[in-house]
Amino acid sequence: MGKKQVRTQMRRIQPKGAASNAQGATRRQRERFVQAGGMLQGYAPDQVVRWGYIAVGIAALCVVIIAACLVFLPAIYGWPDAVAAAVAWIFPIALLASFVGPGFRLALKDRKAEPRIVQGQLVGASSVSTSMGLGMLMVQTRGGSEQFLVPPARLKQVPGNQVNVVLTVTPNLHHVKSVGVMGQRMVGRVEPPVPPVMRRLQLIPLLTPVALAVAALVGDDAVALSPIPNSTIHAVLAVLAGAILAAGVYGLSYLFQRRWMAEVQALVPKT
């Protein structure tokens, strides 16, 4: 009787715990992704720092435009319209901070930090990944299977047979600075043709924030600078137009990404 009661309790409790663990795992994956530099992980620290300085320059230009909107537009359209036109330029700053900020901070640390050594058995390599300009290397280490984003030039010496490899990796952005092969290169690595869908997937992380910012700016400022009599309604319509266009762009990007990911998964051979 006691065993039946224990089994019943386990059946009742297990689904709830599994759902909770799945949600927690997804949240931890997002946190680890951001902590590793987000969309900029795998790239060289010096390159990420240059992108960071460019992002700071773009953000400073947006601040100047915000100030110009608040100085010159109130006399023409009124304060509500001026504020609505200025608010749209905060969106590109927020996007730059979310996309470039985490990687820029880690790149500054990696420029001074000592790289770590990763050694293990080669599992697979590809000169193409979902990150533009980076390939992928899979290594079986003592801690389990690990994937690294690697510049394609450093994958030319990687053979097709299973050998031990030694990687020099920066501790924060996980940029692979060097790849060493230990053992005989018995089999040459043959690169299969790159499916066009992979090229499209590489563009999604770059085009999505740009399209979002352009949609929000065009929708907001186009309405804000239009001759609409009531300034309060004018300002509300401007903000709504920018939000609707940005939401539409995000929805299309999400749908395209899901569709292309499904195409990529369909190309993976079934085992």
Side-chain angles (χ1 to χ4, degrees), residues 56-71 86 89-90 92-93:
V56 171
I58 295 174
L61 177 61
C62 291
V63 171
V64 172
I65 295 175
I66 290 173
C69 290
L70 296 177
V71 170
W89 291 92
I90 299 177
I93 299 175

Side-chain angles (χ1 to χ4, degrees), residues 87-130:
V87 163
W89 291 92
I90 299 177
F91 193 57
I93 299 175
L95 285 176
L96 288 172
S98 61
F99 278 86
V100 182
F104 180 74
R105 184 174 62 255
L106 295 179
L108 293 176
K109 295 180 180 179
D110 275 345
R111 296 177 78 179
K112 301 178 181 179
E114 289 292 329
R116 64 187 180 97
I117 305 298
V118 177
Q119 183 175 352
Q121 188 178 44
L122 175 67
V123 176
S126 174
S127 60
V128 179
S129 69
T130 54

Side-chain angles (χ1 to χ4, degrees), residues 40-82:
L40 298 181
Q41 60 179 304
Y43 292 98
D46 291 339
Q47 187 177 24
V48 174
V49 169
R50 287 195 296 270
W51 291 341
Y53 288 145
I54 294 173
V56 171
I58 295 174
L61 177 61
C62 291
V63 171
V64 172
I65 295 175
I66 290 173
C69 290
L70 296 177
V71 170
F72 298 107
L73 294 185
I76 304 172
Y77 297 97
W79 275 104
D81 292 341

Side-chain angles (χ1 to χ4, degrees), residues 116-123 138-148 164-165 182:
R116 64 187 180 97
I117 305 298
V118 177
Q119 183 175 352
Q121 188 178 44
L122 175 67
V123 176
M138 290 173 285
V139 181
Q140 183 68 35
T141 65
R142 292 182 180 180
S145 181
E146 297 187 39
Q147 293 183 356
F148 298 92
N164 288 332
V165 293
M182 302 171 61

Side-chain angles (χ1 to χ4, degrees), residues 122 157-164 181-188:
L122 175 67
Q157 61 180 336
V158 176
N161 56 306
Q162 290 187 345
V163 294
N164 288 332
V181 178
M182 302 171 61
Q184 296 182 351
R185 300 172 176 84
M186 298 176 61
V187 181

